[in-house]
Amino acid sequence: MTNIISSSSISPLICFFVFFFWLGHGGALGIQHSAPAINGADKIRSQFLHLLRTRRSPQVPLTVEPSKPARHPLFQQVPTPTFSEAMESCPKADIKNLKQRLREENFYLHTEVWDLIKLADYLTQRKDIDPKRIGITGESLGGMHAWFAAFVDTRYAVAAPIIGVQGFRWAIDNDKWQARVDSIKAVFEEARIDLGKCAIDKEVVKKVWDRIAPGLASIFDSPYSIPAIAPRPLLLLNGADDPRCPLDGIKTPTKRARKAYAKAHSSNNVKLIVQPGIGHEMTSLMVKEASDWMDRFLKQ
């Protein structure tokens, strides 16, 4: 049975989903094993974690606090939450007595800035979850979170980032950073003022990325971190006309990823789906493809 954990906030929008399988009454389900690290994947992961430790608060011990459902979560609209057409179209299994069988759990994870690593800590220590079959997907910034979570933490066995992968260095070099900057413009305006500039330019953009996410536009950019996910199943979903994640900026990481997967004899584990005529938008097709990808690999 597939379960979903989701999280979102208002500004900027974050939405990620973690799929995992319960261990049923019949015992453990089949386990998916990852092949040995390839092309220095472990090295780049270690570099990223080392950087996190030098720039962020130390990891706190995993603390799980049971809770009742929140009455007014920040991400919900008042009086009732609304859901996108794309999410409503998510495939739903025909499970008998589903409502009676579902068990709702609400809890807080004390994580500091290590959210998805701590979530993996929690999920993999539960006896009722298969620790080898946890998948992650997300939309926009949540898609970026899914990308980096799968890159950094190999416990995420399957990944399907939606409209979240981009080439940050490519955008700077090819003057295609404006749409991304406009989505969080206040941050870049502060950097512009700090640098004494009269307008936001490439220097300002690079300064911001280096400050809030060191290496994002260099050694940890998508051409280097995306291939490190191999050989674990990876599905990239994008709109052909997305100005925030331009298609041309995804070509290099996709090409390098395919090379890494081929070297690992796992070419069928990587796929790019580009939907024509779509900008920075999550569609019903993308949700279905991501769901099918999870079913394909997590049910093996």
Side-chain angles (χ1 to χ4, degrees):
M1 183 175 181
T2 305
N3 285 261
I4 301 175
I5 295 176
S6 65
S7 174
S8 61
S9 63
I10 294 177
S11 180
L13 176 64
I14 302 173
C15 187
F16 65 83
F17 306 88
V18 177
F19 292 73
F20 54 90
F21 274 77
W22 295 98
L23 299 182
H25 295 295
L29 298 170
I31 292 178
Q32 171 183 328
H33 294 280
S34 294
I38 58 174
N39 291 341
D42 280 346
K43 181 178 179 180
I44 189 173
R45 269 191 288 272
S46 296
Q47 291 174 329
F48 185 83
L49 288 169
H50 174 73
L51 181 63
L52 277 182
R53 293 186 182 102
T54 61
R55 297 295 185 100
R56 298 291 185 261
S57 302
Q59 290 195 52
V60 298
L62 177 63
T63 304
V64 182
E65 179 184 340
S67 174
K68 295 179 179 180
R71 292 186 177 182
H72 301 290
L74 293 178
F75 62 85
Q76 290 189 357
Q77 297 184 13
V78 178
T80 56
T82 58
F83 301 94
S84 70
E85 180 181 349
M87 288 307 301
E88 283 296 305
S89 68
C90 186
K92 300 175 179 64
D94 185 13
I95 301 174
K96 188 177 181 180
N97 299 323
L98 176 62
K99 291 184 178 180
Q100 291 74 26
R101 295 173 62 187
L102 281 177
R103 184 182 71 208
E104 180 180 358
E105 294 184 24
N106 297 275
F107 54 83
Y108 294 103
L109 289 178
H110 296 243
T111 64
E112 296 295 328
V113 300
W114 305 85
D115 299 27
L116 295 180
I117 292 176
K118 287 299 182 183
L119 178 59
D121 288 345
Y122 172 69
L123 294 177
T124 54
Q125 76 175 14
R126 287 184 57 146
K127 295 181 179 180
D128 57 347
I129 292 175
D130 187 336
K132 297 296 184 181
R133 296 202 289 174
I134 300 173
I136 186 167
T137 184
E139 171 197 7
S140 194
L141 181 56
M144 185 177 171
H145 285 189
W147 149 25
F148 268 90
F151 152 52
V152 173
D153 197 326
T154 59
R155 292 174 296 182
Y156 290 107
V158 181
I162 301 173
I163 59 172
V165 176
Q166 57 195 290
F168 286 89
R169 183 76 242 182
W170 179 91
I172 293 173
D173 291 342
N174 292 275
D175 202 34
K176 297 292 185 180
W177 45 264
Q178 291 83 357
R180 170 58 59 195
V181 167
D182 286 344
S183 68
I184 48 174
K185 196 165 186 177
V187 176
F188 292 89
E189 283 292 350
E190 288 298 322
R192 174 191 68 78
I193 295 170
D194 186 55
L195 291 173
K197 297 261 188 175
C198 58
I200 297 173
D201 59 14
K202 292 182 179 181
E203 183 184 357
V204 173
V205 174
K206 187 176 184 304
K207 175 83 171 181
V208 170
W209 294 143
D210 286 343
R211 181 66 179 274
I212 66 175
L216 184 61
S218 55
I219 60 174
F220 303 126
D221 202 354
S222 57
Y224 309 103
S225 53
I226 287 291
I229 297 173
R232 289 166 289 145
L234 170 66
L235 174 65
L236 306 177
L237 298 131
N238 213 77
D241 304 323
D242 191 336
R244 297 186 188 179
C245 301
L247 187 57
D248 284 343
I250 304 175
K251 290 180 178 178
T252 296
T254 301
K255 181 179 179 180
R256 292 186 179 182
R258 284 173 175 157
K259 184 177 180 180
Y261 278 83
K263 188 173 182 179
H265 307 291
S266 302
S267 294
N268 291 333
N269 284 11
V270 64
K271 186 177 182 179
L272 168 65
I273 295 178
V274 178
Q275 189 169 356
I278 297 297
H280 193 70
E281 173 189 354
M282 182 175 72
T283 67
S284 298
L285 172 66
M286 294 176 185
V287 172
K288 183 180 186 305
E289 291 289 349
S291 298
D292 289 346
W293 189 259
M294 293 295 169
D295 282 346
R296 174 184 171 185
F297 290 101
L298 293 179
K299 287 185 175 180
Q300 289 182 356

